[in-house]
Amino acid sequence: MAKWYMNSTPHLKISGSFNAAAKDAAVDVLTDQSCTVEVSDLYAIKFKATATAEDITGDVKNADHFRYAEETKLAWEEEKLCADITEEQRKLTQADLIIFQFPMYWFTVPAIMKGWIDRVLTLGYAYTPEKRYSQGLFKDKKAMLSFTTGSQESMFSADGINGDMNVTLWPLQNGILHYCGFQVLAPQIFWAPSHVPSEARITMLTGWRTRLHGVLEEKPLSFTPSDCFDGEKGFQLKPEVHEKHAAKEYGLTVGIHLGKALPPNNQMKAGV
């Protein structure tokens, strides 16, 4: 039997929290499917959130003009990244599926998770100028966001006060996950669990467990392939692609919308 790996990267570990319960459900269901599961609890391990020169063991190449991306690329090549980064990269390298479990803070991930992204997804290891988006280094891996909100679903609609959740998710799912090549699965969103009865929270977790039984076979979200852009002209969409979609009602994606209406649920459901 093929063995699957999952690195469930950071979640807010507070005893009794909904995020902890969602993490536990994922570990249970995937383990029952003969997956090997590793969990990184960033709060428990006191993961350093700030990207600094301390992430490199030994001397940096240019201390007078320190550039984090370039210096950590060299450190990765020379195996001089600090231990907490290399340990997370080990987990990520082995993983076929990565689940990011977190409470949404200020329309994005908590600071400690952003620090994980900044420090672990280093230049050279996670992406290069030549290998990104649909040609990215992690194109054989799947990733998904699983998170709680503080606001109810209606507030994250196209006419809600928080705006369209598809727009909120674009920087995370396209600008980070897809940028590194991941096949991005539709997000698992737990809408305002702190504001609903306990029975509703149980229903949420039951739905999550049901989804997890088939998550490894899910189709990923749709993104515009890299070869649709002309690298010699500032990576603009090629004219023939523009022409092909000129008469269509919706843009290609939330971000590459061609001045048209945004395709509904482009960042929420596969196949749209």
Side-chain angles (χ1 to χ4, degrees):
M1 180 180 294
K3 183 173 288 186
W4 289 84
Y5 295 89
M6 183 194 76
N7 178 16
S8 181
T9 347
H11 73 283
L12 181 59
K13 180 63 173 179
I14 297 178
S15 179
S17 76
F18 190 92
N19 276 276
K23 181 271 300 183
D24 290 341
V27 172
D28 290 344
V29 174
L30 291 169
T31 300
D32 286 345
Q33 295 182 71
S34 299
C35 297
T36 297
V37 181
E38 290 194 76
V39 177
S40 290
D41 183 337
L42 299 190
Y43 288 96
I45 64 177
K46 295 180 172 58
F47 190 83
K48 183 171 80 75
T50 53
T52 68
E54 295 175 356
D55 293 342
I56 300 166
T57 62
D59 297 331
V60 300
K61 302 299 180 181
N62 189 345
D64 293 331
H65 184 54
F66 180 77
R67 297 196 296 174
Y68 185 84
E70 289 73 13
E71 291 281 1
T72 51
K73 177 180 183 293
L74 292 172
W76 170 72
E77 293 172 343
E78 298 173 1
E79 298 184 352
K80 291 183 178 180
L81 287 174
C82 61
D84 62 339
I85 293 177
T86 57
E87 173 61 7
E88 293 304 306
Q89 289 181 345
R90 177 195 66 79
K91 296 175 185 177
L92 186 53
T93 297
Q94 292 180 340
D96 294 298
L97 168 65
I98 299 89
I99 299 176
F100 294 86
Q101 182 66 54
F102 60 96
M104 179 170 275
Y105 285 179
W106 292 107
F107 293 69
T108 187
V109 298
I112 197 168
M113 182 184 289
K114 181 56 166 61
W116 186 96
I117 292 166
D118 292 344
R119 298 179 66 228
V120 175
L121 301 181
T122 58
L123 175 63
Y125 169 71
Y127 67 96
T128 70
E130 299 76 28
K131 293 186 179 296
R132 53 184 174 170
Y133 292 118
S134 59
Q135 302 300 319
L137 291 166
F138 295 152
K139 62 183 179 180
D140 295 327
K141 299 179 183 294
K142 296 180 178 181
M144 68 181 298
L145 306 178
S146 175
F147 61 93
T148 58
T149 69
S151 301
Q152 57 191 320
E153 184 174 3
S154 62
M155 296 170 69
F156 276 106
S157 63
D159 54 0
I161 192 170
N162 290 345
D164 191 339
M165 178 60 85
N166 290 280
V167 176
T168 299
L169 291 174
W170 178 257
L172 295 173
Q173 295 186 153
N174 178 75
I176 298 173
L177 300 182
H178 178 53
Y179 189 89
C180 293
F182 284 112
Q183 300 172 50
V184 186
L185 301 184
Q188 180 70 26
I189 306 176
F190 301 102
W191 300 103
S194 62
H195 300 298
V196 299
S198 59
E199 294 81 5
R201 290 193 290 272
I202 292 172
T203 299
M204 289 180 183
L205 290 173
T206 299
W208 176 223
R209 286 178 172 274
T210 299
R211 180 185 179 185
L212 286 164
H213 280 289
V215 72
L216 300 176
E217 286 74 47
E218 286 186 6
K219 293 183 179 180
L221 299 174
S222 299
F223 295 91
T224 308
S226 299
D227 59 11
C228 289
F229 301 88
D230 191 338
E232 296 182 356
K233 295 183 179 180
F235 289 96
Q236 293 288 294
L237 205 63
K238 293 178 178 178
E240 58 266 31
V241 181
H242 255 297
E243 293 171 7
K244 180 180 178 180
H245 292 272
K248 295 189 177 181
E249 180 181 3
Y250 298 110
L252 290 167
T253 60
V254 166
I256 303 159
H257 51 70
L258 309 180
K260 300 175 180 288
L262 304 186
N265 290 320
N266 173 254
Q267 293 296 292
M268 304 275 279
K269 296 180 181 179
V272 294

